[in-house]
Amino acid sequence: MHYGFAIDTKRCIGCHTCAVGCRMENHLPKGIWWNRILTKGGEDMDTPEGIFPDVTMSYVPVACQHCENPACVKACPVGATYKDPETGAVRQDYDKCIGCRMCVAACPYTGVRSFNWAEPEYTIDFECGGQNVPAHQKHTVEKCTMCWHRLAKDEEPMCIRMCPERARYWGDLDDPNSEISKVIREREYMQLLPEKGTKPSVYYLV
């Protein structure tokens, strides 16, 4: 089994619902975003490129690419970053993490990981999020987990469930009959930094 994502860049409206849903489901500390919605256009978020009326703007959601050949796993000296053999998801064991940030340095996808320099602080003063979400810890690296706690219950990741425009697909890339496999066969797509040899499991439909 090899789970992956496909994101329809023609349908994504940059609403950030997937990013906010991820934050809530995983009870992310203040200032931490595992899923970012980048603007393909002007220099700032939600700004177009060009001069009116000839302007263009689209969105590129970016999170951990859950690579088939993850550089982060090779770089981690203690096995805290590892590839789940059952799902193909690249996961992080906070209890093993020693805060060396070698995985951050090795990952070619800038900004998909964050580091808790201090004891995590939260915007609200009570816990939220899904069941079995591990507690965030000081001096550890964090990133998208593909909502592994939801996968364990045969549920899809929260970003998939929350997308109002049905711009996100998720499923087993090894299954030729899965929805994600079909859409990848039928549509043109791109991947981020394929030249790095990491074989990302995220496909951007164009």
Side-chain angles (χ1 to χ4, degrees), residues 7-26:
I7 301 172
D8 191 335
T9 59
K10 292 184 178 180
R11 294 186 66 89
C12 179
I13 59 174
C15 66
H16 301 263
T17 303
C18 57
V20 174
C22 169
R23 277 187 58 83
M24 295 299 294
E25 175 67 18
N26 293 284

Side-chain angles (χ1 to χ4, degrees), residues 4-201:
F5 295 94
I7 301 172
D8 191 335
T9 59
K10 292 184 178 180
R11 294 186 66 89
C12 179
I13 59 174
C15 66
H16 301 263
T17 303
C18 57
V20 174
C22 169
R23 277 187 58 83
M24 295 299 294
E25 175 67 18
N26 293 284
H27 190 45
L28 298 188
K30 186 186 300 184
I32 300 296
W33 295 88
W34 287 355
N35 189 9
R36 297 171 300 137
I37 315 304
L38 306 184
T39 305
K40 187 177 180 181
E43 295 182 2
D44 300 312
M45 182 183 292
D46 297 325
T47 59
E49 182 178 50
I51 300 175
F52 183 82
D54 298 317
V55 294
T56 59
M57 183 171 66
S58 59
Y59 299 95
V60 182
V62 178
C64 174
Q65 301 293 293
H66 294 283
C67 305
E68 287 189 68
N69 182 32
C72 57
V73 171
K74 297 176 182 178
C76 181
V78 294
T81 301
Y82 66 100
K83 190 175 176 65
D84 182 10
E86 293 186 7
T87 64
V90 177
R91 291 176 52 182
Q92 193 84 12
D93 188 329
Y94 301 151
D95 293 329
K96 287 184 178 180
C97 182
I98 58 174
C100 68
R101 287 160 284 148
M102 292 296 291
C103 59
V104 179
C107 177
Y109 306 104
T110 304
V112 302
R113 282 173 166 76
S114 55
F115 184 70
N116 292 325
W117 291 96
E119 202 64 42
E121 297 181 357
Y122 299 90
T123 306
I124 54 179
D125 58 3
F126 58 87
E127 290 191 14
C128 64
Q131 287 184 327
N132 301 321
V133 172
H136 303 278
Q137 302 177 27
K138 178 181 179 180
H139 291 165
T140 57
V141 175
E142 297 193 354
K143 67 170 198 65
C144 163
T145 65
M146 205 184 281
C147 285
W148 67 265
H149 59 287
R150 293 178 61 86
L151 304 190
K153 298 184 292 183
D154 293 324
E155 296 177 349
E156 60 191 6
M158 185 55 73
C159 61
I160 302 297
R161 182 176 177 82
M162 294 291 289
C163 181
E165 291 299 309
R166 194 64 176 87
R168 302 178 72 101
Y169 300 84
W170 169 85
D172 186 2
L173 294 167
D174 285 342
D175 178 3
N177 295 316
S178 67
E179 184 180 24
I180 188 172
S181 293
K182 290 178 181 178
V183 76
I184 289 172
R185 282 200 304 269
E186 296 168 357
R187 295 275 301 275
E188 291 186 24
Y189 63 82
M190 58 162 282
Q191 291 179 291
L192 300 182
L193 304 179
E195 69 275 12
K196 296 296 183 180
T198 57
K199 297 182 179 180
S201 299

